[in-house]
């Protein structure tokens, strides 16, 4: 037994322990590196999109201008980009107005919201307030399958069923007959009825339509609204429901006057998430709504979304340096900023909801 | 008993209108809830019907379909090269995403101090999860495919898919690690283990089923992703078998896109068959994840019962 | 009813005395037996009665063969150890037990002679006649005003009455008006616990029910806030019938006219005038429970 206090193993640590601590520090740095990758990804998305988008507007990427001394020239003006109403960057007579494809995205997003928000909210209320536990535990995961099906499958569904049977059925079996009925009485109020009946009579659908895009994107975003809203409704304390029921409130009154208001910020967060998903949705919308950039409000017309434009112009390595390649990044940047705004909004709402109910 | 009012106490409460409103409301909710269900059934029925139609109409040889390469002639087109490409993609994506995601999650739960950097990482994760998949494709197209000169190869596609699913795996891993009771950690520390020893030998093994479940579900998301692959510039027609990570390719979803897009009815039929195969892969992955989760939960239950 | 004696309630006096918060004084006042000015005008009517009532949760029997007649315009206390079924009994009066899917009722529970479990009784209608105040205050995340107006609104009475006036009356009735009259638009959640509970009482009386059920209404409150609620109960009973579940025997002795003692197994062991229960119970088990030998 050593009598010298300094030597031998003690609680103050020895060499092997010191090595273990050194190893711990290295691992900590490695793990931090992993975490940093996620931040680097975001930064890279920003920089790469900005860098390449610059070549669309100024003829050279920012990196080329900075490091290779490329001259700045104006190829596409911001005014034309943001206000022009024709989008054909790769056409023989090019046009660079992004509005038609931004409108395409907005039309699909608004339309899909009109489908998924009311249906998803109603489903959430049913699951949370009306359904038995057994029904709820079965129905909720089944509906979530809707969000798990690859979007390319929705694209196929649009081409093989939604467009030729559902949308075409609405046009030829519902709107056209109503239109001809209206036509025969349109003399009663020509200003009002004539345009309506004309539109109804002319309703027909080709291979693609805005309405088909709305139906498939609306359907696939239902579970985002229903599941997340239902979670928010479940988080409303049962005390509140009991208080209202004890006052003689009906289930309808409890649902609409107690549960909905109490869960409102969580419910709105689910709406934002669904809309954000609709903005970025690509394959289903491409195969459902088509490739024709038009500013139209007619749901039976073919339109083009920003994502559909990206898909239609993707050429891999072969297109580098062409205006179509450059335009990809201008549109991609716009898309990214749009969804980023929605995500930040969603974050805000989620935080608010968490503050309300710890 | 003394004087008892015999009149029905309900007499002065008229609920007729409210009952009607209640019933209408309930009916509306049920109809809305059924809508999603109906669409799901229609979608699955449509795909199955088109696939069986294709089989009976076009005399498709299942063996050739499952093993062959695609072709511009519908009669000879197969899905095998795409299946192989998807398997390569999944393997590479899993390797690329898993370690980074688990490393990030371990850092955030076990090491990260309460400071601005940590909050930035966490906020960034939420936003990454909301970035459209097509944007990851654009990033890889510019940075990896063209600037780094890698070309439109499987590895490039795997990088895009890995970036896409890293946030998903991180969230699942964080939940699994947090679910490990602190008493287990304390037990390890009390034995004189260092932090990393505790994490590697105690925390991660116990969290692993949850982490694997999350990873499989994330891969299930990745295997159906089409848009990032198209942006990366993969072939749309899988006319050759991929030979490795640096081979050009068309995965299952891009091949299905190509066949769906064609005007030829037989190609559309092949797309339906391809979708059936893709969905079978998904079912298998969900089943595996569900199996892991169930086993994990049973184990968890037995621990808490002790 | 076996006894025609009702114990003394000197409403005015006891209100002023409780302000001093002296437990002894209050108990003495309340338990002393004798003729009373305010509550001896003849024998009271029965308003709620149970006849061989059993309540089950799944296979577990929570109430067993309960038979009781609860008088109108009196405070009836339900006491007993935890899990004895006293809260279950309370919840079966306004059918809040219907909210628990596994709950199942046998026997009869009558309100004004009508079995509330009859086919033609809608629990919504029933609850409009019978208010409830819960164990922990549960104001809605709405303004004070909207909390009180909620019942009138859902019952469709908001258009028939002067809402402002009704809200003020209810808040005065719950002894809360003076404290909140300048902040009616603020959230009910901003009030203190005791104020929140009185807000919940105001919410219950705003719709003018006939019976108010209270499920341990003071258990989540500090003693000062609790004593204010007790004073309030004393006033409420002039207009309403109060049935209160409490785990606090002193409270039952202070505020109730009649006391029902439930013991484990969901059995109603004894029901009588409060004074008699606390001074000279028939059942030995009740005596043991009251004197703290078990429970």
């Amino acid at each position: 037994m050593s009598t010298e206090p300094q030597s031998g193993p003690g609680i103050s640590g020895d060499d092997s322990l010191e090595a273990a601590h050194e190893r711990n520090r290295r691992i900590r740095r490695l793990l931090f590196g992993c975490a940093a990758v996620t931040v680097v990804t975001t930064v890279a998305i920003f920089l790469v999109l900005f860098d390449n988008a610059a070549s669309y507007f100024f003829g050279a990427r920012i990196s080329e201008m900075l490091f290779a001394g490329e001259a700045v020239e104006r190829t596409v003006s911001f005014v034309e980009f943001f206000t022009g109403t024709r989008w054909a960057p790769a056409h023989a007579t090019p046009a660079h107005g992004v509005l038609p494809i931004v409108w395409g995205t907005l039309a699909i997003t608004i339309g899909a919201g009109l489908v998924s928000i009311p249906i998803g909210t109603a489903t959430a209320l049913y699951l949370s307030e009306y359904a038995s536990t057994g029904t709820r535990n079965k129905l909720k995961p089944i509906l979530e399958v809707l969000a798990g099906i690859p979007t390319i499958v929705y694209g196929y569904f649009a081409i093989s069923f939604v467009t030729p049977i559902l949308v075409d059925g609405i046009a030829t079996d519902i709107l056209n007959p109503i239109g001809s009925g209206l036509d025969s009485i349109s003399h009663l109020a020509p200003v009002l009825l004539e345009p309506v009946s004309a539109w109804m009579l002319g309703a027909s659908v080709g291979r693609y339509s805005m309405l088909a895009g709305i139906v498939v994107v609306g359907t696939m975003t239902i579970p985002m609204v229903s599941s997340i809203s239902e979670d928010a409704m479940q988080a409303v304390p049962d005390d509140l429901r009991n208080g209202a029921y004890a006052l003689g409130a009906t289930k309808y009154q409890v649902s609409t006057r107690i549960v909905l208001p109490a869960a409102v910020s969580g419910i709105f967060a689910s709406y934002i998430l669904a809309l954000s998903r609709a903005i970025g949705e690509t394959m289903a919308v491409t195969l459902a709504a088509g490739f024709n950039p038009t500013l139209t409000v007619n749901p039976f017309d073919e339109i083009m979304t920003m994502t559909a434009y990206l898909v239609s112009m993707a050429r891999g390595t072969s297109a580098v340096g062409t205006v179509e390649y450059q335009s990809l990044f201008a549109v991609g940047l716009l898309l990214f900023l749009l969804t980023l705004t929605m995500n930040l909004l969603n974050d805000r709402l989620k935080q608010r909801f968490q503050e309300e109910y710890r | 008993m003394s004087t008892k009012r015999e009149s029905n106490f309900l007499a002065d409460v008229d609920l007729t209108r409210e009952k009607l409103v209640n019933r209408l409301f309930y009916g509306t909710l049920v109809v809305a809830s059924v809508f999603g269900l109906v669409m799901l059934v229609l979608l699955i029925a449509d795909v199955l019907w088109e696939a069986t139609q294709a089989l009976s109409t076009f005399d498709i040889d299942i063996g050739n379909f499952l093993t062959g390469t695609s072709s511009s002639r519908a009669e000879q087109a197969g899905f095998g090269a795409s299946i192989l490409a998807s398997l390569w993609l999944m393997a590479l994506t899993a390797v690329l995403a898993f370690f980074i995601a688990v490393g990030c999650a371990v850092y955030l739960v076990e090491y990260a101090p309460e400071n601005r950097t940590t909050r930035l990482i966490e906020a960034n994760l939420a936003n990454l999860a909301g970035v459209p998949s097509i944007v990851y494709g654009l990033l890889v197209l510019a940075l990896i495919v063209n600037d780094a000169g890698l070309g439109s190869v499987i590895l490039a596609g795997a990088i895009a898919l890995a970036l896409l699913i890293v946030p998903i795996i991180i969230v699942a891993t964080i939940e699994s690690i947090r679910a490990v009771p602190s008493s287990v950690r304390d037990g390890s520390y009390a034995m004189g283990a260092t932090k990393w020893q505790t994490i590697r030998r105690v925390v991660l093994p116990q969290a692993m089923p949850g982490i694997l479940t999350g990873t499989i579900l994330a891969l299930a998301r990745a295997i159906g992703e089409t848009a990032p692959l198209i942006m990366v510039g993969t072939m749309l027609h899988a006319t050759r078998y991929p030979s490795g990570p640096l081979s050009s390719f068309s995965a299952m979803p891009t091949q299905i896109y190509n066949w769906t897009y064609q005007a030829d009815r037989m190609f559309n039929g092949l797309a339906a068959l391809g979708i059936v195969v893709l969905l079978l892969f998904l079912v298998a992955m969900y089943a595996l994840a569900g199996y892991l989760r169930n086993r994990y939960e049973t184990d968890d239950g037995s621990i808490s019962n002790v | 009813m076996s006894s025609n004696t009702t114990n003394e309630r000197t409403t005015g006096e006891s209100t002023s005395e409780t302000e001093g918060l002296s437990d002894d004084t209050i108990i003495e006042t309340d338990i002393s037996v004798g003729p009373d000015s305010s509550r001896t005008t003849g024998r009271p009517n029965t308003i709620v009665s149970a006849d061989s009532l059993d309540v089950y949760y799944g296979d577990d029997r929570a109430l067993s063969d309960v038979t009781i007649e609860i008088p109108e315009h009196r405070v009836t206390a339900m006491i007993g150890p935890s899990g004895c079924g006293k809260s279950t009994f309370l919840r079966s009066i306004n059918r809040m037990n219907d909210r628990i899917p596994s709950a199942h009722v046998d026997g009869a529970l009558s309100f004004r002679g009508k079995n509330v479990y009859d086919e033609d009784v809608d629990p919504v209608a029933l609850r409009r006649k019978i208010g409830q105040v819960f164990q922990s205050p549960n104001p809605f995340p709405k303004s004070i005003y909207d909390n009180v107006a909620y019942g009138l609104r859902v019952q469709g009475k908001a258009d028939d009455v002067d809402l402002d006036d009704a809200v003020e009356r209810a808040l005065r009735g719950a002894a809360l008006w003076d404290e909140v009259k300048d902040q009616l638009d603020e959230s009910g959640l901003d009030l203190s616990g005791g104020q929140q509970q009185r807000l919940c009482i105001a919410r219950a009386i705003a719709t003018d029910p006939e019976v108010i059920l209270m499920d341990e209404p003071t258990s989540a409150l500090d003693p000062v806030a609790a004593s204010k609620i007790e004073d309030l109960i004393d006033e409420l009973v002039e207009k309403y019938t109060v049935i209160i579940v409490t785990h606090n025997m002193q409270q039952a002795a202070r505020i109730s006219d009649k006391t029902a003692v439930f013991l484990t197994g969901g059995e109603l062991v004894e029901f009588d005038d409060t004074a008699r229960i606390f001074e000279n119970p028939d059942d030995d088990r009740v005596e043991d429970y009251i004197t703290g030998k078990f429970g």
Side-chain angles (χ1 to χ4, degrees):
Chain A
M1 290 295 106
S2 169
T3 51
E4 289 178 44
Q6 291 92 340
S7 67
I11 56 165
S12 56
D14 55 20
D15 287 350
S16 70
L17 205 53
E18 189 45 47
H21 282 311
E22 176 53 33
R23 189 175 149 74
N24 257 349
R25 277 191 288 273
R26 268 204 313 264
I27 281 162
R28 187 195 155 101
R29 277 196 295 275
L30 184 72
L31 296 176
F32 178 77
C34 291
V37 168
T38 61
V39 178
V40 169
T41 305
T42 307
V43 174
I45 291 174
F46 255 116
L47 290 182
V48 166
L49 290 182
F50 264 109
D51 188 34
N52 284 277
S55 61
Y56 179 65
F57 295 104
F58 305 115
R61 287 160 62 174
I62 295 170
S63 51
E64 290 168 338
M65 291 185 245
L66 288 177
F67 304 118
E70 290 275 342
V72 176
E73 49 177 319
R74 245 332 174 19
T75 47
V76 176
S77 80
F78 288 118
V79 175
E80 185 188 0
F81 185 68
F82 286 113
T83 62
T85 55
R86 186 167 157 262
W87 176 252
H91 199 263
T93 50
H96 299 283
V98 79
L99 282 183
I101 59 172
V102 170
W103 163 246
T105 294
L106 277 183
I108 295 291
T109 306
I110 295 168
L114 289 177
V115 173
S116 64
I117 288 177
I119 291 180
T121 313
T123 305
L125 270 176
Y126 174 74
L127 290 172
S128 165
E129 304 303 310
Y130 284 82
S132 68
T133 324
T135 311
R136 177 183 165 274
N137 290 347
K138 279 193 208 84
L139 188 55
K140 200 177 176 190
I142 290 177
L143 287 176
E144 281 168 1
V145 171
L146 280 175
I149 287 178
T151 61
I152 180 73
V153 180
Y154 279 97
Y156 181 85
F157 182 51
I159 286 218
S160 71
F161 183 84
V162 175
T163 306
I165 295 174
L166 211 63
V167 177
D168 187 61
I170 292 173
T172 55
D173 297 336
I174 300 176
L175 290 184
N176 294 358
I178 297 178
S180 64
L182 276 182
D183 195 38
S184 61
I185 56 155
S186 64
H187 57 274
L188 296 175
V191 185
L192 199 68
L193 290 182
E194 259 168 21
V196 176
S197 72
W199 173 75
M200 284 181 163
L201 276 173
S204 72
V205 65
R207 191 166 160 79
Y208 304 108
S209 70
M210 184 201 291
L211 185 56
I214 286 171
V215 170
V216 288
V217 178
T219 302
M220 74 173 75
T221 48
I222 286 173
M224 310 199 154
V225 177
S226 66
S227 283
I228 297 172
S229 294
E230 203 258 354
D231 291 344
M233 292 171 189
Q234 287 287 309
V236 173
D238 218 30
D239 272 4
L240 296 183
R241 291 187 186 84
N242 284 335
Y245 280 120
L247 283 170
T250 62
K251 215 161 218 191
Y252 162 74
Q253 288 166 330
V254 173
S255 301
T256 54
R257 298 187 191 196
I258 298 294
V259 177
L260 277 184
V264 74
S265 50
I267 293 172
F268 277 161
S270 81
Y271 296 170
I272 304 275
L273 195 72
L275 295 179
S276 166
R277 170 81 189 270
I279 290 175
E281 168 39 44
T282 307
M283 296 322 294
V285 105
T286 304
L287 286 170
F291 302 91
N292 183 17
T294 18
L295 283 167
T296 175
V297 289
N298 186 346
F300 295 100
D301 284 349
E302 178 181 353
I303 56 166
M304 182 189 243
T305 63
M306 292 154 80
T307 50
Y309 175 75
L310 296 179
V311 164
S312 72
M313 282 297 148
R315 296 284 183 279
T317 50
S318 61
V320 181
T322 64
V323 71
E324 337 31 335
Y325 182 79
Q326 296 162 349
S327 69
L328 289 182
F329 295 92
V331 173
L333 180 61
L334 205 56
L335 183 70
F336 177 66
L337 293 178
L338 213 56
T339 49
L340 184 71
T341 315
M342 301 288 274
N343 291 339
L344 294 175
L345 202 62
N346 178 42
D347 256 19
R348 270 283 172 77
L349 284 171
K350 266 203 307 216
Q351 267 169 17
R352 208 158 99 201
F353 188 67
Q354 276 160 2
E355 278 162 21
E356 277 164 30
Y357 297 103
R358 281 148 279 160
Chain B
M1 196 172 297
S2 52
T3 54
K4 189 167 91 180
R5 239 183 283 169
E6 276 298 342
S7 68
N8 189 335
F9 65 86
L10 294 169
D12 61 333
V13 183
D14 181 16
L15 287 177
T16 333
R17 205 185 127 266
E18 280 164 27
K19 275 186 174 156
L20 184 70
V21 171
N22 222 12
R23 198 155 297 170
L24 284 176
F25 186 66
Y26 178 70
T28 313
L29 296 192
V30 169
V31 167
S33 306
V34 165
F35 178 87
L37 218 53
V38 167
M39 290 304 276
L40 182 63
V41 169
L42 278 178
L43 186 148
I44 291 171
D46 174 59
V47 168
L48 290 179
W49 193 77
E50 296 277 347
T52 50
Q53 278 299 104
L55 279 179
S56 62
T57 317
F58 301 114
D59 189 32
I60 293 167
D61 176 3
I62 299 251
N64 178 55
F65 178 77
L66 288 178
T67 56
T69 59
S70 186
S71 163
S72 52
R73 289 171 57 196
E75 304 78 44
Q76 293 170 2
F79 204 45
S82 304
I83 296 176
L84 189 62
S86 277
L87 291 176
W88 267 111
L89 264 182
M90 285 307 103
L92 289 174
T93 303
V95 171
L96 288 172
F98 183 80
F99 294 100
I100 290 181
V102 173
C104 176
V106 169
Y107 176 78
L108 284 176
V109 178
E110 303 283 347
Y111 287 92
E114 285 269 335
N115 61 18
R116 279 181 59 183
T117 315
T118 305
R119 276 198 298 279
L120 177 79
I121 295 174
E122 281 169 345
N124 178 56
L125 273 180
N127 288 317
L128 270 186
V131 171
S133 62
I134 198 167
V135 171
Y136 289 104
L138 272 178
L139 172 68
V140 171
L141 171 68
L143 209 60
I144 311 278
V145 172
N146 289 324
D147 291 354
L150 193 63
S152 303
V153 298
I154 291 185
L155 181 60
I159 293 173
L161 294 182
L163 291 176
L164 176 73
I165 64 170
V166 158
I168 307 175
I169 304 180
I170 290 177
V171 170
T173 306
I174 287 178
E175 269 176 32
S176 305
I177 294 179
R178 288 212 172 120
V180 176
S182 60
S183 58
V184 175
R185 286 189 184 81
D186 291 346
S188 172
Y189 285 127
M191 301 290 290
T194 64
K195 189 163 197 167
W196 174 243
Q197 285 168 331
T198 303
I199 293 166
R200 194 168 65 94
R201 290 167 198 268
V202 177
V203 176
L204 281 182
Q206 201 161 341
M208 200 44 77
I211 298 174
L212 288 180
T213 305
T215 306
I216 293 168
L217 291 178
L219 286 174
R221 160 96 193 270
I223 201 171
E225 275 295 339
T226 319
L229 298 182
I230 292 179
M231 293 323 292
V232 165
T234 71
M235 301 188 293
L236 295 181
H237 244 340
T239 48
R240 311 188 279 282
Y241 293 104
S243 55
L246 298 180
S247 164
S248 62
F249 71 106
S250 175
M252 287 195 277
T254 42
Q255 182 64 62
I256 292 168
Y257 171 62
N258 182 274
W259 283 338
T260 305
Y261 185 72
Q262 307 279 342
D264 186 333
R265 287 289 298 155
M266 183 167 175
F267 275 125
N268 299 163
L270 290 175
L273 281 174
I275 288 173
V276 172
V277 174
L278 177 61
L279 290 182
L280 287 178
F281 268 93
L282 283 178
V283 169
M285 291 166 95
Y286 279 114
L288 183 61
Y291 169 76
L292 276 174
R293 179 172 292 169
N294 281 343
R295 260 192 57 167
Y296 173 59
E297 275 176 5
T298 340
D299 286 356
D300 199 42
S302 68
I303 288 169
S304 60
N305 286 343
V306 173
Chain C
M1 254 178 273
S2 55
S3 160
N4 61 0
T5 345
T6 39
N7 71 328
E8 178 200 37
R9 302 293 304 215
T10 46
T11 313
E13 261 177 51
S14 77
T15 310
S16 56
E17 272 167 13
T18 38
E19 241 119 68
L21 260 184
S22 158
D23 274 5
D24 296 344
T25 338
I26 298 162
I27 290 175
E28 213 166 288
T29 315
D30 282 347
I31 291 187
S32 58
V33 181
D36 173 73
S37 53
S38 63
R39 294 191 212 164
T40 44
T41 46
R43 273 165 51 169
N45 297 323
T46 295
I47 185 160
V48 172
S49 62
D51 189 9
S52 307
L53 182 75
D54 295 323
V55 177
Y56 300 85
Y57 296 122
D59 293 332
D60 297 331
R61 188 195 286 228
L63 275 185
S64 168
D65 199 25
V66 172
T67 300
I68 190 170
E69 290 185 351
I70 295 172
E72 195 171 7
H73 293 298
R74 295 287 185 274
V75 178
T76 301
M78 311 270 153
I79 63 171
S82 330
C84 67
K86 55 193 192 296
S87 291
T88 297
F89 179 72
L90 200 74
R91 282 200 304 270
S92 45
I93 297 174
N94 62 346
R95 290 186 60 177
M96 285 298 278
N97 269 344
D98 288 20
R99 299 247 308 129
I100 301 165
S102 64
H104 161 73
V105 174
D106 274 346
L109 196 146
S110 302
F111 171 64
R112 295 217 179 282
K114 166 83 178 164
N115 185 354
V116 303
Y117 288 95
D118 278 351
E119 287 274 313
D120 61 338
V121 174
D122 188 318
V124 170
L126 175 69
R127 292 172 196 149
R128 292 180 180 189
K129 300 283 180 184
I130 301 178
Q132 183 173 358
V133 176
F134 294 82
Q135 186 166 357
S136 48
N138 59 348
F140 303 128
K142 299 170 184 284
S143 70
I144 292 170
Y145 185 95
D146 287 341
N147 260 286
V148 181
Y150 182 86
L152 292 166
R153 285 180 175 142
V154 300
Q155 298 189 10
K157 295 175 183 165
D159 298 335
D160 309 335
V161 297
D162 178 350
L163 208 52
D164 293 348
D165 185 49
V167 168
E168 178 175 342
R169 255 187 297 122
L171 283 169
R172 282 189 191 283
L176 191 59
W177 173 254
D178 291 334
E179 293 163 55
V180 301
K181 63 184 173 199
D182 299 324
Q183 52 182 91
L184 293 177
D185 290 336
E186 286 169 30
S187 170
L189 296 169
D190 293 341
L191 298 175
S192 72
Q195 288 174 321
Q196 287 190 8
Q197 196 61 301
R198 277 180 283 148
L199 178 62
C200 291
I201 292 174
R203 190 173 73 184
I205 61 179
T207 58
D208 209 19
E210 298 181 33
V211 179
I212 300 175
L213 309 176
M214 297 189 171
D215 190 355
E216 302 192 17
T218 62
S219 66
L221 306 180
D222 64 71
V224 178
S227 87
K228 282 189 180 160
I229 303 275
E230 288 182 10
D231 294 349
L232 187 55
I233 291 170
D234 212 58
E235 289 167 21
L236 289 176
V237 80
E238 287 173 18
K239 290 177 72 180
Y240 312 101
T241 303
V242 176
I243 305 174
I244 179 169
V245 164
T246 177
H247 63 283
N248 178 336
M249 276 179 287
Q250 285 76 26
Q251 183 174 63
R254 278 197 294 274
I255 64 176
S256 70
D257 304 286
K258 305 279 279 185
T259 295
V261 184
F262 288 78
L263 290 181
T264 325
E267 197 186 342
L268 173 61
V269 183
E270 193 162 351
F271 176 56
D272 211 328
D273 290 342
T274 297
R276 198 172 154 77
I277 293 274
F278 281 92
E279 282 165 7
N280 186 21
D282 288 340
D283 196 297
D284 291 345
R285 289 173 297 171
V286 173
E287 180 150 19
D288 288 350
Y289 175 66
I290 302 261
T291 53
K293 280 188 188 152
F294 93 100

